Amino acid sequence: MYIIKNGLIIDPQSGFNQVSDMLIDQGKIKQISKEIDIKGIPIIDASNKIVAPGLVDIHVHFREPGQTHKENIHTGALSAAVGGFTTVLMMANTNPTISSPEIVKQVKESAAKEAIKIETVATITKSLNGKDLVNFEELLEAGVAGFSDDGIPLTDTKVLQEAMNLARKHDVVLSLHEEDPSLNGVLGINEHIAQKIYHVCGASGLAEYSMIARDAMIAYQTQAKVHIQHLSSSESVEVVDFAQKLGANLTAEVTPQHFSKTENLLLTKGANAKLNPPLRLEKDRQALIDGLKSGVISIIASDHAPHHIMEKAADNISQAPSGMTGLETSLALGITYLVSTKELSMIDFLAKMTCNPAQLYGFDAGYLREGGPADIVIFDQAEERIIKAEFASKSSNSPFIGDKLKGVIHYTICNGEIVYQKDSHAATLV
Ligand SMILES: [Zn+2]
């Protein structure tokens, strides 16, 4: 039993937003009250800090099985804890892919050993082949939280419609990576800078928003729960807005990198700024922020995508893999580029990293309530730090290394246990 004292407790789900104390007992929040005094029990001093629900990230790549030189479930979990996350959702583009109950079982056994909560999706099509649907029923029974072919966009319209019919039948979420390969050149580099600087055909906005338009209309017709991953272009926000107004059961996410930076980051950070979909123009970045403000985009997700340093160091940027390690910079990027700039209030920002993603997948997470799980992040929103190349993640492919960001996490608590503490080695012990 211990008390978290004097923190500004913010719970986006209930709207609670005041300085209070919190009593933690047996993995649960036992009491939230203006003042709690119990003699002789440990105290975490949260004065001048924010006490928020443990963050929830519904888009991470932990690379296990098959690509554990980049990351594994253990290092992914450590990285999440350092970043303030207590619940994460793994994508299924591992090797082999997460397409069968056997692999789900293997992943869940690994995940159960970790100090944070790790859920997984399964692929929509077998081994991401884009043609043959997986067995939704047996995978749901095995415990997957949803389905996604993230990494390989699903081009076959008929297959997609059938998948949505199944998703509707089982009341489960389909998450979609939207980039039509037939409309793209080199992935990860926006068409504008690709032409101007690299003299190649890059990744077009059209590839993204035309595919979203197609899928949003099938979502509307099937009424399946469909989630559009990592929006990057301004038109995509418009399309999602249109479909939501029409009555589609459609949600959308944006990554911190897409609301923080533009394609120009490639000029200074090279392959570490190469992402699918790519960083685009300032007008796109602004539209993504407007989408967050209006609520069209209800979720912020990291798309944590670790790659080995040698892979990113390919001679030609066109050959380097896309993606960045993101869990350890997400919160600070949001505070720096959304809250400090007064684009979003702290509580509205936190909703997009806690209760909104948890609600989409039905996770018992993302809120602070008496009797609820003691999954908590404690951070100082004004404190600054310079991002160093040392991450708990196995990889350090971040374009934010060297940047000064606002927001420093002091504690991450999951099920009442401290899984990360600033300036201690807790992260290596969990
Ligand atoms: Zn993706």
Side-chain angles (χ1 to χ4, degrees):
M1 193 187 280
Y2 59 93
I3 301 171
I4 300 170
K5 238 183 160 14
N6 280 325
L8 173 60
I9 298 179
I10 301 183
D11 176 39
Q13 194 178 69
S14 64
F16 188 89
N17 192 355
Q18 62 187 65
V19 175
S20 293
D21 294 350
M22 189 184 276
L23 179 66
I24 309 298
D25 188 29
Q26 296 183 345
K28 304 268 185 208
I29 297 169
K30 191 160 188 203
Q31 191 189 348
I32 299 173
S33 163
K34 202 93 201 111
E35 198 152 354
I36 303 172
D37 280 311
I38 301 173
K39 293 262 170 316
I41 67 167
I43 285 174
I44 292 177
D45 179 14
S47 305
N48 302 314
K49 293 182 187 65
I50 289 173
V51 178
L55 306 177
V56 178
D57 192 339
I58 58 166
H59 192 156
V60 303
H61 298 271
F62 280 177
R63 310 300 192 200
E64 183 180 332
Q67 295 180 304
T68 50
H69 62 292
K70 298 173 192 258
E71 191 79 290
N72 60 36
I73 288 174
H74 180 61
T75 55
L78 294 179
S79 182
V82 172
F85 293 89
T86 52
T87 301
V88 299
L89 179 64
M90 278 176 58
M91 292 296 112
N93 61 338
T94 49
N95 185 17
T97 59
I98 303 172
S99 306
S100 68
E102 294 71 42
I103 302 293
V104 173
K105 187 165 173 260
Q106 195 183 313
V107 164
K108 285 184 98 67
E109 276 171 8
S110 262
K113 293 180 197 144
E114 300 305 324
I116 64 145
K117 298 162 184 175
I118 302 170
E119 304 276 349
T120 187
V121 298
T123 58
I124 296 171
T125 62
K126 288 177 185 163
S127 308
L128 298 170
N129 73 9
K131 293 193 198 91
D132 310 302
L133 292 174
V134 294
N135 186 327
F136 273 48
E137 226 146 273
E138 66 176 26
L139 284 159
L140 284 167
E141 223 158 87
V144 303
F147 295 87
S148 177
D149 270 9
D150 181 42
I152 310 277
L154 201 42
T155 52
D156 190 311
T157 315
K158 189 70 196 160
V159 170
L160 186 81
Q161 187 194 30
E162 282 168 17
M164 285 198 196
N165 283 331
L166 282 169
R168 165 81 176 152
K169 181 176 156 204
H170 295 288
D171 191 26
V172 65
V173 181
L174 286 191
S175 328
L176 302 174
H177 177 136
E178 304 287 45
E179 281 189 291
D180 184 339
S182 64
L183 298 174
N184 265 345
V186 176
L187 294 177
I189 304 177
N190 188 37
E191 52 191 334
H192 174 258
I193 198 168
Q195 210 143 52
K196 207 173 100 187
I197 304 288
Y198 303 102
H199 311 296
V200 292
C201 282
S204 69
L206 175 65
E208 178 179 293
Y209 62 75
S210 64
M211 204 170 199
I212 295 177
R214 179 197 72 167
D215 296 352
M217 290 306 99
I218 303 169
Y220 167 65
Q221 190 267 338
T222 58
Q223 282 298 304
K225 268 190 208 163
V226 173
H227 177 68
I228 308 294
Q229 300 177 296
H230 40 50
L231 297 193
S232 71
S233 87
S234 61
E235 290 88 347
S236 299
V237 182
E238 299 286 337
V239 173
V240 171
D241 186 20
F242 171 80
Q244 286 173 341
K245 284 185 177 135
L246 196 63
N249 205 340
L250 198 69
T251 53
E253 76 188 25
V254 64
T255 73
Q257 43 276 28
H258 286 101
F259 66 63
S260 302
K261 294 290 176 181
T262 67
E263 61 174 21
N264 290 333
L265 196 63
L266 281 159
L267 300 175
T268 51
K269 301 299 171 103
N272 278 344
K274 189 183 176 198
L275 316 165
N276 295 347
L279 298 172
R280 299 198 192 270
L281 303 174
E282 180 59 19
K283 73 157 177 72
D284 297 300
R285 193 182 79 83
Q286 281 302 332
L288 295 168
I289 292 173
D290 289 344
L292 283 164
K293 287 160 90 163
S294 69
V296 169
I297 302 172
S298 56
I299 291 168
I300 295 169
S302 73
D303 191 9
H304 178 77
H307 289 294
H308 193 271
I309 193 160
M310 293 312 289
E311 297 166 321
K312 276 286 187 184
D315 288 341
N316 185 338
I317 194 169
S318 305
Q319 257 106 57
S322 293
M324 58 164 272
T325 181
L327 282 163
E328 292 165 66
T329 49
S330 283
L331 181 72
L333 287 168
I335 293 171
T336 305
Y337 289 98
L338 297 175
V339 181
S340 291
T341 53
K342 303 222 175 341
E343 300 286 4
L344 287 182
S345 66
M346 180 59 83
I347 194 165
D348 288 347
F349 161 62
L350 286 173
K352 295 175 196 288
M353 293 189 73
T354 57
C355 55
N356 292 356
Q359 192 188 0
L360 177 64
Y361 280 94
F363 298 148
D364 182 27
Y367 64 94
L368 298 173
R369 197 187 310 143
E370 290 177 359
D375 296 350
I376 297 158
V377 59
I378 302 175
F379 61 94
D380 185 329
Q381 68 164 321
E383 199 176 335
E384 295 182 326
R385 70 177 166 131
I386 293 175
I387 306 301
K388 297 204 190 93
E390 296 125 33
F391 294 95
S393 166
K394 246 187 205 189
S395 297
S396 55
N397 53 313
S398 168
F400 297 102
I401 293 167
D403 286 14
K404 190 193 268 186
L405 299 180
K406 281 198 173 118
V408 172
I409 293 164
H410 285 248
Y411 292 90
T412 307
I413 295 167
C414 189
N415 286 324
E417 302 290 330
I418 295 171
V419 296
Y420 167 73
Q421 185 177 353
K422 190 191 166 211
D423 300 329
S424 91
H425 298 293
T428 57
L429 299 175
V430 294

